[in-house]
Amino acid sequence: MYIGIDLGGTNIAVGIVDEDGIIKFEKSCETKKERKPNEIIEDMITLVLNILDESHVQLEKIKAIGIGIPGLADINGNVIFCVNLGWKNVPLREMLENALHKPIYIDNDATVAALAEYESGSMKNCTSGLMLTLGTGIGGGIILNGEVYSGFNGVGSELGHMVIGENFYNCNCGRNGCLETFASSTAIIKHTQKLITDMNEATTIMEKAEGNINNINAKIIFECARAGDNIANLAVNRLVKYLSIGILNIINFIDPEIIALGGGVAGAGQYLLDKVIDEVNTHKYYEELPIGKIVLAKLGNKAGIIGAAMVAKHGQIN
């Protein structure tokens, strides 16, 4: 068995996971991200020890521990940065190995989610797959020939920072035109707010937001688009357009068997998926060109724990 740790900006979730990617036990606590890294890491250690105690699973039965982080770590297990947690140059592997005496494997949370979908979700049994997590930003995870691809320095698959056009605001990374500034929940909210301000047009979005433009969220926008609201449809269609450009770029240089869409924006479900598939098929490189399937991810918020455990499993195999 393996332990998977999903380190998020809101919660830390820990699970004991079997070889097949099935969660046997899980436990979580608030991250309280304003704290220092060592305080958060102490909570991670405590959660692991508590879940072992409560599940009556001996530490000796655990082969390795995997962690999904909202940032990047180098090949030595040092966290280079986690922007939302304010972490820079944190020796996460060393601290956890010293406390738990188990091999520790660390990867980006989107890569971890992709591995979970490959092991037991929407990409199961495929040879190459790719996942885009459409949330506050956009993360990416790539599986090639059954293995995670993270690049030479272990920091690859930052697909959300692929530049695809010129935008009206800059990305948090400091550049202009990143995919996540067009196709994340943050992006569609910002664009909708801009449309409402610029167009001065009646919209059901403001009714659902109780008259406060700051209450607008992606769920409201998609609900209003389904109901035929003009501004909502303009915002959704723009997101679909640029998300499809990003997917087409990915197809042109990776040609994956499956592209899975996850994260909060993908909560729009089949409505969004149908639009993206139509847009991709309309603008693909050659009309006759076969492309992989575009699907919705299946595992939801369980992907973090499962994927982290599978990172540990793959690390042990290698």
Side-chain angles (χ1 to χ4, degrees):
M1 288 190 288
Y2 303 90
I3 286 178
I5 302 175
D6 181 13
L7 174 61
T10 303
N11 292 301
I12 305 166
V14 173
I16 297 176
V17 182
D18 69 14
E19 296 279 346
D20 298 318
I22 306 298
I23 299 174
K24 296 299 185 180
F25 305 94
E26 60 182 302
K27 193 175 181 66
S28 65
C29 71
E30 289 184 46
T31 306
K32 299 176 184 175
K33 64 181 182 179
E34 67 279 358
R35 297 182 298 162
K36 294 178 180 178
N38 64 300
E39 294 175 300
I40 295 173
I41 293 167
E42 280 298 321
D43 275 355
M44 294 165 70
I45 295 166
T46 299
L47 274 176
V48 169
L49 296 176
N50 285 348
I51 198 172
L52 288 169
D53 182 57
E54 292 173 17
S55 65
H56 305 293
V57 174
Q58 295 180 339
L59 184 60
E60 291 73 24
K61 297 286 187 182
I62 303 300
K63 294 180 179 178
I65 298 171
I67 308 167
I69 63 169
L72 295 173
D74 64 24
I75 57 176
N76 297 312
N78 299 310
V79 176
I80 300 169
F81 62 80
C82 286
V83 175
N84 291 334
L85 296 178
W87 288 20
K88 287 188 76 173
N89 302 317
V90 177
L92 180 58
R93 175 184 289 166
E94 179 184 348
M95 294 174 74
L96 288 176
E97 285 186 344
N98 287 342
L100 298 170
H101 310 292
K102 286 290 175 181
I104 304 294
Y105 299 90
I106 304 168
D107 218 320
N108 173 262
D109 52 8
T111 298
V112 157
L115 186 55
E117 292 291 335
Y118 171 77
E119 289 280 349
S120 55
S122 59
M123 297 191 292
K124 189 172 183 178
N125 298 322
C126 76
T127 56
S128 63
L130 182 142
M131 184 171 178
L132 291 173
T133 54
L134 312 174
T136 304
I138 293 181
I142 302 170
I143 309 294
L144 295 178
N145 299 318
E147 296 295 333
V148 170
Y149 178 78
S150 296
F152 177 73
N153 293 299
V155 295
S157 75
E158 282 293 315
L159 301 173
H161 295 284
M162 175 194 333
V163 174
I164 58 169
E166 187 174 339
N167 212 346
F168 64 93
Y169 73 100
N170 289 338
C171 183
N172 286 336
C173 74
R175 299 185 304 166
N176 187 277
C178 291
L179 177 61
E180 72 174 47
T181 67
F182 289 98
S184 63
S185 60
T186 303
I188 195 171
I189 291 166
K190 283 181 178 288
H191 185 235
T192 299
Q193 291 169 333
K194 185 175 188 299
L195 287 172
I196 290 171
T197 302
D198 292 349
M199 293 178 67
N200 194 27
E201 177 182 311
T203 172
T204 54
I205 295 171
M206 289 302 292
E207 294 175 25
K208 288 184 176 289
E210 299 178 344
N212 186 343
I213 200 167
N214 295 316
N215 288 341
I216 294 171
N217 57 44
K219 184 179 178 182
I220 287 174
I221 297 165
F222 278 101
E223 285 177 356
C224 292
R226 282 193 187 96
D229 184 273
N230 181 50
I231 285 179
N233 272 299
L234 288 172
V236 168
N237 290 340
R238 181 179 187 262
L239 179 147
V240 168
K241 173 186 173 181
Y242 284 100
L243 176 57
S244 298
I245 290 171
I247 289 172
L248 284 163
N249 287 342
I250 290 164
I251 289 170
N252 285 346
F253 64 75
I254 296 179
D255 186 25
E257 185 178 344
I258 293 176
I259 295 175
L261 305 181
V265 172
Q270 198 66 40
Y271 173 77
L272 172 65
L273 185 65
D274 288 343
K275 284 179 172 289
V276 170
I277 291 171
D278 286 346
E279 185 76 7
V280 168
N281 281 324
T282 298
H283 296 286
K284 63 185 181 181
Y285 190 36
Y286 287 118
E287 186 177 340
E288 299 83 5
L289 187 71
I291 60 174
K293 293 180 181 177
I294 303 171
V295 302
L296 296 172
K298 291 182 178 179
L299 298 177
N301 58 14
K302 301 295 184 185
I305 291 176
I306 296 170
M310 294 301 98
V311 164
K313 175 183 173 180
H314 280 245
Q316 286 289 286
I317 292 171
N318 293 336

